[in-house]
Structure formats: structure tokens, C-alpha cells
Amino acid sequence: MASRDVQPLTSIEPLRWEGDCLTVIDQRQLPQKLAWLKLRTVAEVAQAIEQMAVRGAPLIGIVAGYGIALAALSDPRAASLRRAMDRLSRTRPTARNLFTTLERFEHLLQHPQLAAELLLNEACAIQRADLKASASIAELAAEILSAPGWALTICNTGALATGGGGTALGLLVEGCRRGLLDGVYVCETRPLLQGARLTCWELARLGVPFTLLPDSAAASLIAGGEVAAVVTGADRIARNGDTANKIGTRMLAESANFNGVPFYVAAPATTFDPGAESGADITIEQRSRAEVLELTWQPLLPPDYAVYNPAFDITEGRMITAFATDRGLISAAQLEDSDIWN
Amino acid sequence: MASRDVQPLTSIEPLRWEGDCLTVIDQRQLPQKLAWLKLRTVAEVAQAIEQMAVRGAPLIGIVAGYGIALAALSDPRAASLRRAMDRLSRTRPTARNLFTTLERFEHLLQHPQLAAELLLNEACAIQRADLKASASIAELAAEILSAPGWALTICNTGALATGGGGTALGLLVEGCRRGLLDGVYVCETRPLLQGARLTCWELARLGVPFTLLPDSAAASLIAGGEVAAVVTGADRIARNGDTANKIGTRMLAESANFNGVPFYVAAPATTFDPGAESGADITIEQRSRAEVLELTWQPLLPPDYAVYNPAFDITEGRMITAFATDRGLISAAQLEDSDIWN
């Protein structure tokens, strides 16, 4: 297959720093509306993360960095910065990248000349590093994909979720650009429909062929031989390879394993958690029942129904073929001894 | 656990025959509104089946019988009845019960004194038989379930789907009534949300504890040891046990198999297809993209997105622990030689 005329990956920018204000795409409003939110305080940044106006583990890590920079601009003293970091640490528990960012700033607090500029530079450095990580991960398309075939993914792991072109989706888009992949099956990703609302929007803009499906239809596609590879992102990866990612990821891994299809997790080093031995050490965020009882924020069902609504699930390391990282492709067996932890 | 105060199963009647008219619950409007549709011609019955105002394999089989009776009331000649049967046969291809009904009427067409009354009696007999089948299937709760524990199901297989208390759901409700089950996990069942809209509505009315979940969250519940058994209905079962049922059923079977949880299919004999050797002989209905692109009929996404929207999938016989039928519990290994085919 000839390589496709796919638009540049970085044409979608989910955030911009504009002097004294962080401007982000309000991802809750896509695809109906491309609207921007101006965040001027760390409280506003924390709220945007909690309400998922911004989401995606790498992007959360970047936005949190700018949140601390905003706090420093109003008061650069250590106590003010600690309050900001504490507030951010309580937004969402699962995405490792948020805590990777907080740990980087923790080191900076020791700096003898603590200044807003220093912290802003750090936020910019985190964003630049993630742009580079996305590019490195995309390069692995050549190692994972070979035409003809379609890959299947879940949630949104593209430009909207990162500082660059994305993790799993960035790799798949690069695969299409190089003619290594014919298209992308997109799980709609209930309850908040990040696949349907965000991933399809990105792929349509980029000119990448895609087909949307209800999450529960993935098993019949995989069993029917229609999926060459399943590639997902990650929110946190433990030392043994157990991976927390968007709810539904484990279902895809079970189906891929059951039907002999390779299952890859794409993530930058900032998503790997050296402090978690296994999935048992990962906190899974439970979100509100309203997300399930309302369809994109329109009431559908009685508000008192009991709901099981975890934002993430754990895919065991043994179920994962390999990790596509900014330090190369790492098999689950090699993971423990790899340099990703350093 | 003490047995629960659960309401009588038959308190929900999805259809009533009233002299010259079939009145059915318009299931598209639940749970917001309990509205009834009056169907006076076979064309109206066929449309109600196609648009899923009535759905559920056993109920489709019953409603089709009354559709032929309506045709006979306006013109009882064989040619008129053949046209009615032909129209009904083109509504939905997968539910075996529809064709079981059509085959029963095919025999009646040979009758020397073809009369509307004869055909109406046959429709009533099909409804009564399904009421009895539901009761027999519910009895198997004692063989499958033992407290404490919750079972997981998908779609709606209760009173709204049958002529009695239901297949899988009827069995689970009976289990709760007898204190053999603590509650029911309900997969919401995208795209048309029969689990969220219909099964939760039935269980809430009956006083059965339930928890609703996005379909993709089932794997993490099952892996977490929260599910004692998965029990689903069926739309068509082949001789080797391969079972077509609501999209997502295969995903649940894979997850149950992967995690060592029993997986049961509950269905009356009318759902078993002696003419299908395996799943390869079962036609899977593909439904409109609008069902996925619109959320309960409100536009959400661009209408030209490509969508994979099969109404059903195939769960292989080897993945099924046993079939709960109105002729008893039949293991997948015994199925081929059982009397369910006679």
C-alpha cells in the first residue's frame, strides 16, 4: 500500500502558554465545538483536570507543570508551591505522569534561588520532552506494523492527549503515513466516549481511514481476524508490566490473548512507575455514576441507580506483547531489567 | 442469605392481544415513558420488530405469530398468509425464534379449513408455551447459582423479552427470590442500551439489587473476582453450541473463560436451530450507523463516520459451560446428542 497523505501530527495543539495564562482545548465540547478554556490559577488547572476538560496521562503531566508555574507567578515561595502541588496531587490518582511531574518540581523546591521563571522553564521542558517522546514512540510503527491490516485502539492517545502527536494513536497514524497500516478501528470508549468524540475527530482531520465501534464489538472483530494488532496507551505501568489504562483495555487484552493477536502498550518513560511492583499497587479512580447515567451530560436514567464506573482497569504484564516507549520497544519479559526505570 | 421479597415475574407484560389488535410496550421509550403501540396489520408488526419497538428473540417469535393472525383476520387465504410470512421473515435475520414461529405456521397452511381462528389459536399457543419455557428455565437457578455472589448479564432477557419472566434474567431474578444470588451486574449494552434502559427498569420494579456498568468494565469486574457466574440469553444456537447473542456476549465469554468463571446461556428450545451446524451458518444482522453515532436518537457525531455495528456476535460452544433450557441444563458436550433438537 502506498503511503498516505496524512496531515502533520502537530496540527492539533491541546494547550498553549500565553504569557501569564494557560489556554487549553475544552475536550468535553469536542467534536461539536472547538472551544478553548483560559486557566489562570492552579485551582482552575486542578478543576480542568478533574472535570476532564484536559485528559490523557501525558497531557495531565504537562498541564500540571504549568499549573505550578501559575502558582509561582502569583507567589513563588516554597509554601505556596507546596499547596499547589498538594492540590494537583488530589485531582486524579491513576495517571503516573502527573506524579512524575510533581516529583520533578519537588526537586526544584530545593533550589537556592526559587523563582517563577525557573518553574516555568521546567514546565516548558516537560512539554518539550513529551513532544520528543511522542516522536520516538511513533518511530516504532516500523517495528510493530506491517501492511496490510487494521489496528484497533481505545480512548484517545493522540495529539489531544500529549505534548506531541500521541502515544498509541501517534504510532498508528505514523504507521498509516508510512503505508504500514490501512486504518484504525476506534472503540467508542464509554462512558465519556473519548474514542468516538476525540480519536475520530483527530483521525478525520488527519485523513486516516477509521471505523468506530461500540466497545463490546471489539471481541467479534478480533475473533473474526479483522485486527492485525491492538495498540493502547497507558496511565501507569508497574515494574512487572501490569498496566492501568482506560476502562476496557483489559477486555481488549483478554480478547487479543484469547485469539492470538498481538497486544501493545505505547507510553513514554514518564508513565512507568518504579514505585509500583504490580497492579495491586495502582489506585484505580472510581468516577461518578452520572457519567454512566447521563449520555454526554444529558440525563437518561434515574439518578439513584447503582453504577460501577472505574475510570481504568489493570491489564496484567503477561497479557502484553511489548511496550512501545521513547526508549524503544521493550518486551514484557525484559521490562523489569530495562533502563526505563532510571 | 434470606430469600428476597421480589415481585411476581409476570407483572410486566410486553404485549396484549385485544380482539383485533396487538398492543405492545414501545420499548424504545423506556425507561422515560411506559408507552403502548397498537399494531393492527402485519406491516405494522414487521415495522415494530425492525425498529426494535419490540425485541428479544422469544418475544419476536410471539409477536410474529400475532402478526400472521392479524393478516388472517383481514384475509385468511393461503396467498395472503404467505405474503405476511415473507414480510416477517425479512425483518431481522438472526433471532431463531422468529423462524421457529414461521415454520409452525408453514405447517398450518396445509390445513384443509384454514381460518383466522386457527391461526390466532396458534399465536396464543406460542405465547403460552414461552410463558411455560420461562418458568422452566427459571427453575434452573437452583442448579447454577449458590449464594453468596452476584451474577453478570447483558442486554435484556427478562419479561420484556419473552412471554413469561424471561430467560437469563428470569433465572437470575428467581435466584434472588430464592436467596441463591445477591444481585445482578447489568452491562449497559451499547449501542441501544437495552441493559441500562430495560433490564435496570425491570430489576428496579422487582426490587432486585443491581449495579449498572459500561460494557467494557465487565472484564475488570470478572478478573477482580466479583462475578460468580455470567448468564446471558441467546438469539440462535447452532448444533455445536456456537451461540449468536447481543453484541458483547462473546467479550463476556472470553473474559469468563480467561478468568475461570462459569458462563451460561439461557434459552428456550425455540432458539435452538437444528439447521445450523455452527456459528458459520448464522447470519449476523448489521444495523445502521446511526445507532452508534446518535446517543438514544440524539445526534452526537458526524453522520458520515464509518461504523462497525453488528447487532450480534458468535460465542463458540467450547466457551459455554452449559445451556439453561426449558428441557433442563445441557452441557456444551451433551448438546449435539440432546433432545433439544427434536
Side-chain angles (χ1 to χ4, degrees):
Chain A
M1 180 192 149
S3 63
R4 290 191 166 270
D5 181 24
V6 170
Q7 299 302 309
L9 282 167
T10 47
S11 63
I12 302 164
E13 279 180 282
L15 85 168
R16 286 188 216 137
W17 176 259
E18 298 176 319
D20 58 350
C21 164
L22 182 66
T23 304
V24 298
I25 293 179
D26 183 351
Q27 300 192 22
R28 295 168 298 185
Q29 300 201 48
L30 285 173
Q32 282 86 350
K33 202 169 151 193
L34 180 55
W36 297 79
L37 279 178
K38 288 191 182 298
L39 308 175
R40 294 192 171 84
T41 66
V42 68
E44 288 176 358
V45 168
Q47 204 172 39
I49 294 172
E50 280 167 349
Q51 297 178 352
M52 296 177 71
V54 291
R55 29 62 54 199
L59 185 64
I60 291 172
I62 294 165
V63 167
Y66 285 108
I68 300 169
L70 283 168
L73 284 170
S74 80
D75 178 355
R77 287 172 297 182
S80 144
L81 301 178
R82 282 211 187 283
R83 275 196 304 277
M85 289 166 63
D86 182 58
R87 175 70 186 90
L88 289 165
S89 74
R90 287 181 284 107
T91 51
R92 299 192 67 196
T94 309
R96 166 62 190 162
N97 309 60
L98 168 61
F99 301 90
T100 304
T101 289
L102 296 179
E103 288 167 18
R104 279 180 72 150
F105 280 91
E106 188 66 41
H107 283 121
L108 278 190
L109 291 191
Q110 320 302 329
H111 201 280
Q113 277 140 351
L114 204 54
E117 197 182 345
L118 179 78
L119 298 159
L120 182 57
N121 283 344
E122 188 73 357
C124 292
I126 290 170
Q127 183 179 9
R128 278 196 310 274
D130 197 64
L131 173 67
K132 223 172 122 186
S134 277
S136 301
I137 290 169
E139 285 294 319
L140 299 174
E143 294 188 40
I144 289 180
L145 304 172
S146 61
W150 283 54
L152 184 144
T153 192
I154 190 167
C155 201
N156 173 268
T157 56
L160 286 170
T162 65
T167 56
L169 195 64
L171 186 155
L172 296 178
V173 169
E174 186 63 21
C176 284
R177 178 179 289 120
R178 296 189 191 183
L180 301 167
L181 190 68
D182 295 326
V184 181
Y185 286 117
V186 180
C187 289
E188 63 176 4
T189 320
R190 281 284 288 154
L192 293 182
L193 300 170
Q194 293 92 334
R197 295 190 302 105
L198 307 179
T199 297
C200 290
W201 182 76
E202 285 199 35
L203 294 177
R205 283 171 61 112
L206 295 169
V208 171
F210 66 89
T211 293
L212 175 66
L213 55 141
D215 305 316
S216 68
S220 73
L221 258 189
I222 294 170
E226 301 294 326
V227 176
V230 179
V231 188
T232 77
D235 281 76
R236 190 182 292 248
I237 300 168
R239 294 192 78 97
N240 72 343
D242 289 1
T243 295
N245 192 45
K246 177 54 55 197
I247 189 73
T249 302
R250 183 187 171 92
M251 165 194 79
L252 298 180
E254 287 181 352
S255 193
N257 279 231
F258 195 92
N259 296 284
V261 169
F263 179 87
Y264 297 98
V265 169
T270 47
T271 304
F272 290 76
D273 181 2
E277 286 302 320
S278 76
D281 298 326
I282 300 178
T283 301
I284 297 295
E285 178 184 14
Q286 300 286 332
R287 293 187 60 87
S288 87
R289 71 171 92 187
E291 289 182 352
V292 178
L293 298 177
E294 303 177 1
L295 285 176
T296 54
W297 304 283
Q298 297 299 311
L300 172 76
L301 298 169
D304 59 345
Y305 276 4
V307 168
Y308 172 66
N309 186 23
F312 305 99
D313 59 17
I314 301 288
T315 299
E316 290 154 53
R318 67 185 166 101
M319 301 165 73
I320 297 167
T321 308
F323 297 88
T325 82
D326 49 331
R327 308 214 187 138
L329 197 65
I330 307 172
S331 75
Q334 298 166 322
L335 183 65
E336 189 99 48
D337 300 320
S338 77
D339 76 347
I340 198 85
W341 307 109
N342 305 324
Chain B
M1 181 194 150
S3 64
R4 290 192 166 266
D5 181 25
V6 170
Q7 299 301 309
L9 281 167
T10 48
S11 64
I12 301 164
E13 280 180 281
L15 85 167
R16 287 188 216 136
W17 176 259
E18 299 176 318
D20 59 348
C21 164
L22 183 67
T23 304
V24 297
I25 294 179
D26 183 350
Q27 300 193 21
R28 293 168 300 184
Q29 300 200 47
L30 286 173
Q32 282 87 350
K33 202 170 152 192
L34 180 55
W36 298 78
L37 278 178
K38 287 191 181 299
L39 308 175
R40 293 190 172 85
T41 65
V42 68
E44 287 177 0
V45 168
Q47 204 172 39
I49 295 172
E50 281 168 348
Q51 297 178 352
M52 296 177 71
V54 290
R55 30 64 52 201
L59 185 64
I60 291 172
I62 294 165
V63 167
Y66 284 108
I68 299 169
L70 283 169
L73 283 171
S74 82
D75 178 355
R77 285 172 296 181
S80 145
L81 301 178
R82 282 211 186 284
R83 275 196 303 277
M85 290 166 63
D86 181 58
R87 175 70 185 88
L88 290 166
S89 74
R90 285 181 285 106
T91 51
R92 299 192 69 197
T94 309
R96 165 64 188 161
N97 310 60
L98 168 63
F99 300 92
T100 305
T101 289
L102 296 180
E103 288 167 17
R104 279 179 73 149
F105 280 92
E106 187 67 40
H107 283 119
L108 278 190
L109 290 191
Q110 320 303 327
H111 201 281
Q113 275 139 352
L114 203 55
E117 198 182 345
L118 179 79
L119 298 159
L120 183 56
N121 284 344
E122 187 74 357
C124 292
I126 289 170
Q127 184 179 9
R128 279 195 310 274
D130 197 64
L131 173 67
K132 224 173 121 186
S134 278
S136 301
I137 290 169
E139 285 295 318
L140 299 174
E143 296 188 40
I144 288 179
L145 305 173
S146 60
W150 283 54
L152 184 144
T153 192
I154 190 168
C155 200
N156 173 268
T157 57
L160 286 171
T162 66
T167 56
L169 195 64
L171 185 155
L172 297 177
V173 169
E174 186 62 23
C176 284
R177 179 178 289 122
R178 296 190 191 182
L180 301 166
L181 191 68
D182 295 327
V184 181
Y185 286 118
V186 180
C187 288
E188 63 175 3
T189 319
R190 281 283 289 154
L192 293 182
L193 300 169
Q194 292 93 333
R197 294 190 301 107
L198 308 178
T199 297
C200 291
W201 182 77
E202 285 198 36
L203 294 177
R205 284 171 62 112
L206 295 169
V208 171
F210 66 90
T211 293
L212 176 66
L213 55 141
D215 304 316
S216 67
S220 73
L221 258 189
I222 294 170
E226 301 294 327
V227 176
V230 180
V231 188
T232 77
D235 280 76
R236 189 182 292 247
I237 300 168
R239 294 193 78 98
N240 71 343
D242 288 2
T243 294
N245 192 43
K246 178 54 55 196
I247 190 73
T249 302
R250 184 188 169 90
M251 164 194 79
L252 298 180
E254 287 180 353
S255 193
N257 280 231
F258 194 91
N259 296 285
V261 168
F263 180 87
Y264 297 99
V265 170
T270 46
T271 304
F272 289 77
D273 182 2
E277 286 303 321
S278 76
D281 297 326
I282 300 177
T283 301
I284 298 295
E285 178 184 13
Q286 300 287 330
R287 293 187 60 88
S288 86
R289 71 171 93 188
E291 290 181 352
V292 178
L293 299 177
E294 304 177 1
L295 285 176
T296 55
W297 305 282
Q298 298 298 312
L300 173 76
L301 298 169
D304 59 344
Y305 275 5
V307 168
Y308 172 66
N309 186 23
F312 306 99
D313 59 18
I314 301 288
T315 299
E316 291 153 52
R318 68 186 167 101
M319 300 164 74
I320 297 168
T321 308
F323 297 88
T325 81
D326 49 331
R327 309 217 184 134
L329 198 64
I330 307 171
S331 74
Q334 298 166 321
L335 184 66
E336 188 99 46
D337 300 320
S338 77
D339 75 346
I340 198 86
W341 307 109
N342 306 325

